[in-house]
Amino acid sequence: MNRKLPSKFQNLLLKYSQEVSNANREAIEAELWKEYGTEQAIFVLDMSGFSLLTRKYGIIHYLSMVRRMQLVSEPIITSFNGKMLKYEADNCFAVFPDALPAVQAAISLQHAFDASNLLTPNDFDVHIACGIDYGKVLIVSSKDCFGDAVNRACKLGEDTAAAGEILVTQKAMERISPEAGIKSRPLSVSISGITIPSYTIDYRGT
């Protein structure tokens, strides 16, 4: 477990693991959800091409691109009322009050990197994939998040989406009104035996 997480959170988890009474475990779980639980849209951004570019040019080359991704992504995320949680390697984790601003931020980010890539050589172009879900999660110290929605967003953004893609779970899409004008196509994602009904966002009008 991350040592930067607050001691109260870690102590409650340890207490839960050592508790033999079901009733007491339920009480500890309820305390954790009361203290740290929330329902939000989870946004996960993953940069594409890490292995290829690192092998070709070295880690410094790719880290410079990661830094560019960070500088571009944070102001766009916050402009859509999103809250940054953390950058982890070449990933970005953020939360939004609902699914629509998360999708709007993802679309804006894709367009922003398309535009910035016009100014750089191909091997310095930043390409991203995004995964979005909505659900009940634990947010700890505004730095980390845990829950099924986090896992699904990671599976979509990191493991499934290709460069330029925005994948959104069915649960998140159901929260977006048709009047919002978000165009999408359904797909079924299967990873490690888990099926995630999802949609791919058609932001380029293809």
Side-chain angles (χ1 to χ4, degrees):
M1 184 66 67
N2 190 333
R3 294 181 181 178
K4 294 181 180 179
L5 294 177
S7 58
K8 179 179 180 180
F9 181 76
Q10 298 201 61
N11 289 338
L12 283 170
L13 292 178
L14 180 61
K15 185 178 178 181
Y16 180 95
S17 71
Q18 296 172 335
E19 182 55 64
V20 296
S21 165
N22 287 336
N24 289 343
R25 280 201 299 271
E26 289 175 1
I28 295 169
E29 183 174 356
E31 183 177 355
L32 281 163
W33 281 110
K34 181 179 179 180
E35 180 79 15
Y36 304 103
T38 182
E39 283 196 36
Q40 297 200 51
I42 305 299
F43 170 94
V44 177
L45 176 156
D46 180 60
M47 286 178 61
S48 304
F50 171 79
S51 298
L52 178 63
L53 287 174
T54 301
R55 284 199 304 269
K56 188 174 182 179
Y57 294 109
I59 190 62
I60 299 300
H61 178 102
Y62 196 76
L63 287 177
S64 72
M65 296 169 63
V66 170
R67 182 55 182 155
R68 200 168 119 232
M69 177 273 287
Q70 294 173 347
L71 292 173
V72 172
S73 62
E74 185 163 1
I76 291 176
I77 287 169
T78 56
S79 72
F80 285 94
N81 204 25
K83 186 174 184 179
M84 287 293 310
L85 292 180
K86 63 179 179 178
Y87 290 107
E88 193 172 82
D90 62 347
N91 299 323
C92 167
F93 292 79
V95 292
F96 291 80
D98 215 332
L100 179 58
V103 171
Q104 291 171 328
I107 293 172
S108 181
L109 281 163
Q110 293 286 7
H111 287 315
F113 284 113
D114 284 347
S116 68
N117 288 342
L118 296 175
L119 305 175
T120 57
N122 289 343
D123 285 338
F124 276 96
D125 289 350
V126 173
H127 299 284
I128 63 169
C130 302
I132 297 169
D133 193 16
Y134 182 92
K136 189 177 180 182
V137 293
L138 298 168
I139 305 291
V140 185
S141 295
S142 299
K143 295 179 181 178
D144 217 332
C145 53
F146 306 94
D148 286 343
V150 180
N151 297 335
R152 288 189 293 265
C154 286
K155 288 184 181 298
L156 293 182
E158 295 180 324
D159 300 334
T160 307
E165 286 189 326
I166 301 168
L167 301 186
V168 184
T169 65
Q170 179 177 312
K171 183 176 182 179
M173 282 300 298
E174 288 173 349
R175 300 185 60 85
I176 300 177
S177 168
E179 285 71 31
I182 301 297
K183 297 180 180 179
S184 63
R185 291 178 284 109
L187 72 157
S188 182
V189 175
S190 295
I191 304 175
S192 302
I194 300 174
T195 299
I196 307 175
S198 307
Y199 289 80
T200 180
I201 302 301
D202 181 15
Y203 65 94
R204 289 193 173 111
T206 55

mmCIF file of all heavy atoms in Angstrom, residues 42-86:
data_model
loop_
_atom_site.group_PDB
_atom_site.id
_atom_site.type_symbol
_atom_site.label_atom_id
_atom_site.label_comp_id
_atom_site.label_asym_id
_atom_site.label_seq_id
_atom_site.Cartn_x
_atom_site.Cartn_y
_atom_site.Cartn_z
ATOM 1 N N ILE A 42 -14.671 8.523 -13.288
ATOM 2 C CA ILE A 42 -13.237 8.255 -13.216
ATOM 3 C C ILE A 42 -12.651 8.341 -14.624
ATOM 4 O O ILE A 42 -13.154 7.723 -15.567
ATOM 5 C CB ILE A 42 -12.961 6.861 -12.633
ATOM 6 C CG1 ILE A 42 -13.642 6.708 -11.271
ATOM 7 C CG2 ILE A 42 -11.463 6.622 -12.516
ATOM 8 C CD1 ILE A 42 -13.180 7.685 -10.221
ATOM 9 N N PHE A 43 -11.587 9.102 -14.745
ATOM 10 C CA PHE A 43 -10.941 9.365 -16.038
ATOM 11 C C PHE A 43 -9.507 8.854 -15.973
ATOM 12 O O PHE A 43 -8.748 9.229 -15.063
ATOM 13 C CB PHE A 43 -10.967 10.863 -16.319
ATOM 14 C CG PHE A 43 -10.139 11.305 -17.498
ATOM 15 C CD1 PHE A 43 -10.702 11.437 -18.754
ATOM 16 C CD2 PHE A 43 -8.788 11.607 -17.336
ATOM 17 C CE1 PHE A 43 -9.930 11.853 -19.834
ATOM 18 C CE2 PHE A 43 -8.018 12.028 -18.406
ATOM 19 C CZ PHE A 43 -8.593 12.147 -19.659
ATOM 20 N N VAL A 44 -9.145 8.003 -16.925
ATOM 21 C CA VAL A 44 -7.772 7.486 -16.997
ATOM 22 C C VAL A 44 -7.224 7.741 -18.392
ATOM 23 O O VAL A 44 -7.824 7.329 -19.396
ATOM 24 C CB VAL A 44 -7.722 5.982 -16.674
ATOM 25 C CG1 VAL A 44 -6.295 5.458 -16.828
ATOM 26 C CG2 VAL A 44 -8.232 5.710 -15.260
ATOM 27 N N LEU A 45 -6.104 8.421 -18.451
ATOM 28 C CA LEU A 45 -5.417 8.713 -19.715
ATOM 29 C C LEU A 45 -4.129 7.902 -19.761
ATOM 30 O O LEU A 45 -3.399 7.830 -18.771
ATOM 31 C CB LEU A 45 -5.112 10.206 -19.803
ATOM 32 C CG LEU A 45 -4.320 10.745 -21.005
ATOM 33 C CD1 LEU A 45 -4.641 12.224 -21.211
ATOM 34 C CD2 LEU A 45 -2.801 10.591 -20.818
ATOM 35 N N ASP A 46 -3.871 7.303 -20.910
ATOM 36 C CA ASP A 46 -2.655 6.519 -21.103
ATOM 37 C C ASP A 46 -1.967 6.978 -22.385
ATOM 38 O O ASP A 46 -2.619 7.126 -23.426
ATOM 39 C CB ASP A 46 -2.997 5.031 -21.197
ATOM 40 C CG ASP A 46 -1.767 4.165 -21.405
ATOM 41 O OD1 ASP A 46 -0.877 4.196 -20.542
ATOM 42 O OD2 ASP A 46 -1.698 3.465 -22.431
ATOM 43 N N MET A 47 -0.677 7.223 -22.309
ATOM 44 C CA MET A 47 0.074 7.565 -23.507
ATOM 45 C C MET A 47 0.416 6.309 -24.297
ATOM 46 O O MET A 47 0.703 5.265 -23.722
ATOM 47 C CB MET A 47 1.361 8.311 -23.149
ATOM 48 C CG MET A 47 1.136 9.752 -22.705
ATOM 49 S SD MET A 47 2.678 10.578 -22.226
ATOM 50 C CE MET A 47 3.625 10.498 -23.753
ATOM 51 N N SER A 48 0.393 6.422 -25.612
ATOM 52 C CA SER A 48 0.657 5.278 -26.475
ATOM 53 C C SER A 48 2.094 5.297 -26.981
ATOM 54 O O SER A 48 2.698 6.360 -27.125
ATOM 55 C CB SER A 48 -0.305 5.298 -27.671
ATOM 56 O OG SER A 48 -1.645 5.323 -27.238
ATOM 57 N N GLY A 49 2.620 4.122 -27.231
ATOM 58 C CA GLY A 49 3.925 3.999 -27.884
ATOM 59 C C GLY A 49 5.118 3.981 -26.967
ATOM 60 O O GLY A 49 6.249 4.166 -27.418
ATOM 61 N N PHE A 50 4.906 3.718 -25.671
ATOM 62 C CA PHE A 50 6.021 3.773 -24.717
ATOM 63 C C PHE A 50 7.156 2.826 -25.093
ATOM 64 O O PHE A 50 8.304 3.234 -25.209
ATOM 65 C CB PHE A 50 5.516 3.450 -23.306
ATOM 66 C CG PHE A 50 6.621 3.275 -22.293
ATOM 67 C CD1 PHE A 50 7.234 4.383 -21.735
ATOM 68 C CD2 PHE A 50 7.061 2.014 -21.935
ATOM 69 C CE1 PHE A 50 8.259 4.232 -20.808
ATOM 70 C CE2 PHE A 50 8.087 1.855 -21.012
ATOM 71 C CZ PHE A 50 8.685 2.965 -20.452
ATOM 72 N N SER A 51 6.839 1.552 -25.283
ATOM 73 C CA SER A 51 7.896 0.550 -25.517
ATOM 74 C C SER A 51 8.677 0.839 -26.786
ATOM 75 O O SER A 51 9.919 0.798 -26.795
ATOM 76 C CB SER A 51 7.286 -0.852 -25.588
ATOM 77 O OG SER A 51 6.679 -1.177 -24.366
ATOM 78 N N LEU A 52 7.954 1.158 -27.863
ATOM 79 C CA LEU A 52 8.615 1.386 -29.144
ATOM 80 C C LEU A 52 9.547 2.588 -29.092
ATOM 81 O O LEU A 52 10.715 2.514 -29.502
ATOM 82 C CB LEU A 52 7.561 1.574 -30.241
ATOM 83 C CG LEU A 52 8.102 1.864 -31.646
ATOM 84 C CD1 LEU A 52 8.933 0.687 -32.139
ATOM 85 C CD2 LEU A 52 6.957 2.138 -32.609
ATOM 86 N N LEU A 53 9.047 3.721 -28.577
ATOM 87 C CA LEU A 53 9.861 4.938 -28.554
ATOM 88 C C LEU A 53 11.010 4.839 -27.560
ATOM 89 O O LEU A 53 12.097 5.377 -27.800
ATOM 90 C CB LEU A 53 8.983 6.148 -28.223
ATOM 91 C CG LEU A 53 8.060 6.601 -29.355
ATOM 92 C CD1 LEU A 53 7.135 7.711 -28.884
ATOM 93 C CD2 LEU A 53 8.872 7.073 -30.560
ATOM 94 N N THR A 54 10.792 4.147 -26.436
ATOM 95 C CA THR A 54 11.868 4.000 -25.459
ATOM 96 C C THR A 54 12.988 3.131 -26.020
ATOM 97 O O THR A 54 14.177 3.436 -25.828
ATOM 98 C CB THR A 54 11.324 3.393 -24.154
ATOM 99 O OG1 THR A 54 10.303 4.248 -23.626
ATOM 100 C CG2 THR A 54 12.437 3.258 -23.119
ATOM 101 N N ARG A 55 12.617 2.060 -26.710
ATOM 102 C CA ARG A 55 13.647 1.216 -27.327
ATOM 103 C C ARG A 55 14.408 1.978 -28.410
ATOM 104 O O ARG A 55 15.612 1.817 -28.575
ATOM 105 C CB ARG A 55 13.018 -0.044 -27.929
ATOM 106 C CG ARG A 55 12.624 -1.105 -26.930
ATOM 107 C CD ARG A 55 12.454 -2.463 -27.595
ATOM 108 N NE ARG A 55 11.491 -2.418 -28.687
ATOM 109 C CZ ARG A 55 10.199 -2.661 -28.548
ATOM 110 N NH1 ARG A 55 9.712 -2.960 -27.359
ATOM 111 N NH2 ARG A 55 9.383 -2.613 -29.593
ATOM 112 N N LYS A 56 13.697 2.833 -29.138
ATOM 113 C CA LYS A 56 14.313 3.521 -30.272
ATOM 114 C C LYS A 56 15.174 4.694 -29.834
ATOM 115 O O LYS A 56 16.269 4.904 -30.373
ATOM 116 C CB LYS A 56 13.215 4.009 -31.220
ATOM 117 C CG LYS A 56 13.727 4.574 -32.535
ATOM 118 C CD LYS A 56 12.559 4.894 -33.477
ATOM 119 C CE LYS A 56 13.066 5.418 -34.810
ATOM 120 N NZ LYS A 56 11.948 5.718 -35.747
ATOM 121 N N TYR A 57 14.705 5.467 -28.836
ATOM 122 C CA TYR A 57 15.393 6.707 -28.482
ATOM 123 C C TYR A 57 15.861 6.789 -27.037
ATOM 124 O O TYR A 57 16.616 7.691 -26.683
ATOM 125 C CB TYR A 57 14.468 7.909 -28.747
ATOM 126 C CG TYR A 57 14.162 8.119 -30.205
ATOM 127 C CD1 TYR A 57 12.897 7.860 -30.706
ATOM 128 C CD2 TYR A 57 15.138 8.567 -31.088
ATOM 129 C CE1 TYR A 57 12.591 8.053 -32.047
ATOM 130 C CE2 TYR A 57 14.852 8.764 -32.428
ATOM 131 C CZ TYR A 57 13.582 8.501 -32.904
ATOM 132 O OH TYR A 57 13.294 8.690 -34.234
ATOM 133 N N GLY A 58 15.409 5.887 -26.186
ATOM 134 C CA GLY A 58 15.807 5.936 -24.787
ATOM 135 C C GLY A 58 14.742 6.581 -23.908
ATOM 136 O O GLY A 58 13.825 7.251 -24.385
ATOM 137 N N ILE A 59 14.901 6.390 -22.611
ATOM 138 C CA ILE A 59 13.881 6.818 -21.657
ATOM 139 C C ILE A 59 13.783 8.338 -21.550
ATOM 140 O O ILE A 59 12.698 8.881 -21.319
ATOM 141 C CB ILE A 59 14.154 6.194 -20.264
ATOM 142 C CG1 ILE A 59 12.964 6.433 -19.327
ATOM 143 C CG2 ILE A 59 15.458 6.731 -19.672
ATOM 144 C CD1 ILE A 59 11.678 5.818 -19.769
ATOM 145 N N ILE A 60 14.878 9.068 -21.723
ATOM 146 C CA ILE A 60 14.833 10.526 -21.609
ATOM 147 C C ILE A 60 13.911 11.110 -22.672
ATOM 148 O O ILE A 60 13.109 12.023 -22.403
ATOM 149 C CB ILE A 60 16.245 11.139 -21.733
ATOM 150 C CG1 ILE A 60 17.153 10.624 -20.614
ATOM 151 C CG2 ILE A 60 16.159 12.663 -21.698
ATOM 152 C CD1 ILE A 60 16.648 10.948 -19.212
ATOM 153 N N HIS A 61 13.989 10.570 -23.869
ATOM 154 C CA HIS A 61 13.122 11.020 -24.959
ATOM 155 C C HIS A 61 11.657 10.878 -24.555
ATOM 156 O O HIS A 61 10.868 11.818 -24.685
ATOM 157 C CB HIS A 61 13.421 10.190 -26.216
ATOM 158 C CG HIS A 61 12.560 10.520 -27.396
ATOM 159 N ND1 HIS A 61 13.005 11.293 -28.446
ATOM 160 C CD2 HIS A 61 11.271 10.198 -27.698
ATOM 161 C CE1 HIS A 61 12.037 11.423 -29.342
ATOM 162 N NE2 HIS A 61 10.966 10.764 -28.905
ATOM 163 N N TYR A 62 11.316 9.694 -24.042
ATOM 164 C CA TYR A 62 9.912 9.468 -23.715
ATOM 165 C C TYR A 62 9.485 10.273 -22.496
ATOM 166 O O TYR A 62 8.366 10.799 -22.454
ATOM 167 C CB TYR A 62 9.655 7.982 -23.480
ATOM 168 C CG TYR A 62 8.175 7.655 -23.528
ATOM 169 C CD1 TYR A 62 7.521 7.587 -24.753
ATOM 170 C CD2 TYR A 62 7.439 7.451 -22.376
ATOM 171 C CE1 TYR A 62 6.167 7.312 -24.833
ATOM 172 C CE2 TYR A 62 6.081 7.169 -22.435
ATOM 173 C CZ TYR A 62 5.447 7.098 -23.667
ATOM 174 O OH TYR A 62 4.103 6.844 -23.727
ATOM 175 N N LEU A 63 10.361 10.408 -21.503
ATOM 176 C CA LEU A 63 10.003 11.198 -20.320
ATOM 177 C C LEU A 63 9.737 12.650 -20.683
ATOM 178 O O LEU A 63 8.886 13.304 -20.066
ATOM 179 C CB LEU A 63 11.120 11.107 -19.276
ATOM 180 C CG LEU A 63 11.240 9.773 -18.540
ATOM 181 C CD1 LEU A 63 12.436 9.801 -17.590
ATOM 182 C CD2 LEU A 63 9.959 9.449 -17.775
ATOM 183 N N SER A 64 10.443 13.158 -21.686
ATOM 184 C CA SER A 64 10.188 14.536 -22.112
ATOM 185 C C SER A 64 8.783 14.654 -22.702
ATOM 186 O O SER A 64 8.109 15.680 -22.532
ATOM 187 C CB SER A 64 11.230 14.980 -23.138
ATOM 188 O OG SER A 64 11.037 14.348 -24.409
ATOM 189 N N MET A 65 8.326 13.605 -23.367
ATOM 190 C CA MET A 65 6.971 13.601 -23.910
ATOM 191 C C MET A 65 5.938 13.472 -22.794
ATOM 192 O O MET A 65 4.865 14.076 -22.849
ATOM 193 C CB MET A 65 6.827 12.468 -24.926
ATOM 194 C CG MET A 65 7.714 12.635 -26.145
ATOM 195 S SD MET A 65 7.781 11.159 -27.177
ATOM 196 C CE MET A 65 6.065 11.020 -27.693
ATOM 197 N N VAL A 66 6.255 12.692 -21.762
ATOM 198 C CA VAL A 66 5.364 12.567 -20.606
ATOM 199 C C VAL A 66 5.175 13.927 -19.944
ATOM 200 O O VAL A 66 4.055 14.308 -19.575
ATOM 201 C CB VAL A 66 5.924 11.551 -19.587
ATOM 202 C CG1 VAL A 66 5.135 11.599 -18.285
ATOM 203 C CG2 VAL A 66 5.892 10.144 -20.166
ATOM 204 N N ARG A 67 6.261 14.664 -19.834
ATOM 205 C CA ARG A 67 6.171 15.997 -19.208
ATOM 206 C C ARG A 67 5.280 16.915 -20.039
ATOM 207 O O ARG A 67 4.490 17.691 -19.490
ATOM 208 C CB ARG A 67 7.560 16.601 -19.056
ATOM 209 C CG ARG A 67 7.575 17.966 -18.378
ATOM 210 C CD ARG A 67 6.883 17.913 -17.044
ATOM 211 N NE ARG A 67 6.847 19.228 -16.398
ATOM 212 C CZ ARG A 67 5.940 19.578 -15.500
ATOM 213 N NH1 ARG A 67 5.002 18.712 -15.121
ATOM 214 N NH2 ARG A 67 5.963 20.779 -14.964
ATOM 215 N N ARG A 68 5.386 16.818 -21.349
ATOM 216 C CA ARG A 68 4.517 17.615 -22.215
ATOM 217 C C ARG A 68 3.059 17.219 -22.040
ATOM 218 O O ARG A 68 2.168 18.066 -21.991
ATOM 219 C CB ARG A 68 4.948 17.440 -23.676
ATOM 220 C CG ARG A 68 4.440 18.562 -24.592
ATOM 221 C CD ARG A 68 5.126 18.516 -25.934
ATOM 222 N NE ARG A 68 4.145 18.306 -26.992
ATOM 223 C CZ ARG A 68 4.218 17.361 -27.909
ATOM 224 N NH1 ARG A 68 5.221 16.508 -27.905
ATOM 225 N NH2 ARG A 68 3.291 17.255 -28.842
ATOM 226 N N MET A 69 2.801 15.935 -21.932
ATOM 227 C CA MET A 69 1.444 15.459 -21.685
ATOM 228 C C MET A 69 0.891 16.048 -20.399
ATOM 229 O O MET A 69 -0.253 16.486 -20.322
ATOM 230 C CB MET A 69 1.432 13.930 -21.618
ATOM 231 C CG MET A 69 0.060 13.320 -21.295
ATOM 232 S SD MET A 69 -0.269 13.169 -19.498
ATOM 233 C CE MET A 69 0.811 11.819 -19.050
ATOM 234 N N GLN A 70 1.698 16.081 -19.362
ATOM 235 C CA GLN A 70 1.256 16.610 -18.068
ATOM 236 C C GLN A 70 0.902 18.093 -18.172
ATOM 237 O O GLN A 70 -0.122 18.536 -17.642
ATOM 238 C CB GLN A 70 2.347 16.403 -17.018
ATOM 239 C CG GLN A 70 2.614 14.943 -16.696
ATOM 240 C CD GLN A 70 3.805 14.761 -15.778
ATOM 241 O OE1 GLN A 70 4.595 15.697 -15.548
ATOM 242 N NE2 GLN A 70 3.986 13.555 -15.260
ATOM 243 N N LEU A 71 1.736 18.858 -18.851
ATOM 244 C CA LEU A 71 1.507 20.300 -18.957
ATOM 245 C C LEU A 71 0.257 20.627 -19.773
ATOM 246 O O LEU A 71 -0.430 21.610 -19.500
ATOM 247 C CB LEU A 71 2.727 20.974 -19.578
ATOM 248 C CG LEU A 71 3.995 20.971 -18.721
ATOM 249 C CD1 LEU A 71 5.178 21.524 -19.507
ATOM 250 C CD2 LEU A 71 3.787 21.789 -17.447
ATOM 251 N N VAL A 72 -0.040 19.791 -20.764
ATOM 252 C CA VAL A 72 -1.228 20.018 -21.586
ATOM 253 C C VAL A 72 -2.494 19.535 -20.883
ATOM 254 O O VAL A 72 -3.541 20.186 -20.929
ATOM 255 C CB VAL A 72 -1.079 19.316 -22.962
ATOM 256 C CG1 VAL A 72 -2.382 19.375 -23.744
ATOM 257 C CG2 VAL A 72 0.041 19.960 -23.771
ATOM 258 N N SER A 73 -2.402 18.393 -20.214
ATOM 259 C CA SER A 73 -3.612 17.752 -19.696
ATOM 260 C C SER A 73 -4.227 18.451 -18.490
ATOM 261 O O SER A 73 -5.465 18.583 -18.413
ATOM 262 C CB SER A 73 -3.322 16.288 -19.352
ATOM 263 O OG SER A 73 -2.338 16.189 -18.347
ATOM 264 N N GLU A 74 -3.422 18.895 -17.546
ATOM 265 C CA GLU A 74 -3.995 19.419 -16.301
ATOM 266 C C GLU A 74 -4.905 20.627 -16.509
ATOM 267 O O GLU A 74 -6.028 20.651 -15.982
ATOM 268 C CB GLU A 74 -2.902 19.737 -15.283
ATOM 269 C CG GLU A 74 -3.477 20.156 -13.938
ATOM 270 C CD GLU A 74 -2.475 20.081 -12.809
ATOM 271 O OE1 GLU A 74 -1.309 19.716 -13.056
ATOM 272 O OE2 GLU A 74 -2.862 20.386 -11.676
ATOM 273 N N PRO A 75 -4.493 21.665 -17.252
ATOM 274 C CA PRO A 75 -5.405 22.801 -17.427
ATOM 275 C C PRO A 75 -6.688 22.444 -18.166
ATOM 276 O O PRO A 75 -7.744 23.022 -17.888
ATOM 277 C CB PRO A 75 -4.572 23.822 -18.204
ATOM 278 C CG PRO A 75 -3.452 23.063 -18.810
ATOM 279 C CD PRO A 75 -3.179 21.927 -17.879
ATOM 280 N N ILE A 76 -6.632 21.513 -19.083
ATOM 281 C CA ILE A 76 -7.846 21.103 -19.799
ATOM 282 C C ILE A 76 -8.780 20.343 -18.857
ATOM 283 O O ILE A 76 -9.991 20.582 -18.830
ATOM 284 C CB ILE A 76 -7.496 20.259 -21.037
ATOM 285 C CG1 ILE A 76 -6.812 21.136 -22.086
ATOM 286 C CG2 ILE A 76 -8.739 19.586 -21.617
ATOM 287 C CD1 ILE A 76 -6.337 20.396 -23.314
ATOM 288 N N ILE A 77 -8.225 19.451 -18.068
ATOM 289 C CA ILE A 77 -9.035 18.690 -17.107
ATOM 290 C C ILE A 77 -9.712 19.619 -16.116
ATOM 291 O O ILE A 77 -10.919 19.508 -15.853
ATOM 292 C CB ILE A 77 -8.164 17.643 -16.389
ATOM 293 C CG1 ILE A 77 -7.841 16.498 -17.349
ATOM 294 C CG2 ILE A 77 -8.863 17.106 -15.134
ATOM 295 C CD1 ILE A 77 -6.787 15.548 -16.841
ATOM 296 N N THR A 78 -8.980 20.563 -15.559
ATOM 297 C CA THR A 78 -9.573 21.472 -14.573
ATOM 298 C C THR A 78 -10.583 22.418 -15.214
ATOM 299 O O THR A 78 -11.541 22.842 -14.565
ATOM 300 C CB THR A 78 -8.481 22.280 -13.861
ATOM 301 O OG1 THR A 78 -7.678 22.982 -14.826
ATOM 302 C CG2 THR A 78 -7.580 21.373 -13.039
ATOM 303 N N SER A 79 -10.414 22.732 -16.502
ATOM 304 C CA SER A 79 -11.361 23.628 -17.168
ATOM 305 C C SER A 79 -12.730 22.977 -17.335
ATOM 306 O O SER A 79 -13.736 23.678 -17.511
ATOM 307 C CB SER A 79 -10.817 24.060 -18.538
ATOM 308 O OG SER A 79 -10.866 22.999 -19.476
ATOM 309 N N PHE A 80 -12.795 21.648 -17.274
ATOM 310 C CA PHE A 80 -14.070 20.937 -17.343
ATOM 311 C C PHE A 80 -14.518 20.475 -15.949
ATOM 312 O O PHE A 80 -15.271 19.509 -15.829
ATOM 313 C CB PHE A 80 -13.964 19.750 -18.305
ATOM 314 C CG PHE A 80 -13.954 20.153 -19.756
ATOM 315 C CD1 PHE A 80 -12.757 20.340 -20.423
ATOM 316 C CD2 PHE A 80 -15.141 20.363 -20.443
ATOM 317 C CE1 PHE A 80 -12.731 20.716 -21.761
ATOM 318 C CE2 PHE A 80 -15.126 20.745 -21.775
ATOM 319 C CZ PHE A 80 -13.923 20.924 -22.435
ATOM 320 N N ASN A 81 -14.056 21.181 -14.933
ATOM 321 C CA ASN A 81 -14.441 20.900 -13.548
ATOM 322 C C ASN A 81 -13.921 19.557 -13.059
ATOM 323 O O ASN A 81 -14.498 18.941 -12.159
ATOM 324 C CB ASN A 81 -15.965 20.965 -13.378
ATOM 325 C CG ASN A 81 -16.380 21.273 -11.950
ATOM 326 O OD1 ASN A 81 -15.628 21.869 -11.182
ATOM 327 N ND2 ASN A 81 -17.576 20.861 -11.579
ATOM 328 N N GLY A 82 -12.849 19.095 -13.685
ATOM 329 C CA GLY A 82 -12.218 17.867 -13.227
ATOM 330 C C GLY A 82 -11.203 18.153 -12.140
ATOM 331 O O GLY A 82 -10.741 19.285 -11.970
ATOM 332 N N LYS A 83 -10.852 17.123 -11.407
ATOM 333 C CA LYS A 83 -9.880 17.244 -10.328
ATOM 334 C C LYS A 83 -8.770 16.232 -10.547
ATOM 335 O O LYS A 83 -9.014 15.026 -10.618
ATOM 336 C CB LYS A 83 -10.550 17.004 -8.976
ATOM 337 C CG LYS A 83 -9.648 17.257 -7.788
ATOM 338 C CD LYS A 83 -10.437 17.142 -6.497
ATOM 339 C CE LYS A 83 -9.559 17.493 -5.299
ATOM 340 N NZ LYS A 83 -10.329 17.401 -4.019
ATOM 341 N N MET A 84 -7.560 16.723 -10.671
ATOM 342 C CA MET A 84 -6.407 15.856 -10.845
ATOM 343 C C MET A 84 -6.161 15.048 -9.579
ATOM 344 O O MET A 84 -6.186 15.577 -8.480
ATOM 345 C CB MET A 84 -5.160 16.688 -11.159
ATOM 346 C CG MET A 84 -5.126 17.272 -12.551
ATOM 347 S SD MET A 84 -4.985 16.001 -13.814
ATOM 348 C CE MET A 84 -3.607 15.054 -13.184
ATOM 349 N N LEU A 85 -5.894 13.766 -9.755
ATOM 350 C CA LEU A 85 -5.499 12.931 -8.629
ATOM 351 C C LEU A 85 -4.005 12.654 -8.664
ATOM 352 O O LEU A 85 -3.299 12.899 -7.697
ATOM 353 C CB LEU A 85 -6.276 11.613 -8.642
ATOM 354 C CG LEU A 85 -7.777 11.696 -8.355
ATOM 355 C CD1 LEU A 85 -8.398 10.316 -8.401
ATOM 356 C CD2 LEU A 85 -8.033 12.352 -6.998
ATOM 357 N N LYS A 86 -3.530 12.138 -9.781
ATOM 358 C CA LYS A 86 -2.107 11.804 -9.837
ATOM 359 C C LYS A 86 -1.670 11.533 -11.273
ATOM 360 O O LYS A 86 -2.489 11.235 -12.159
ATOM 361 C CB LYS A 86 -1.823 10.567 -8.983
ATOM 362 C CG LYS A 86 -2.530 9.312 -9.482
ATOM 363 C CD LYS A 86 -2.193 8.096 -8.619
ATOM 364 C CE LYS A 86 -2.935 6.844 -9.120
ATOM 365 N NZ LYS A 86 -2.594 5.653 -8.335
#
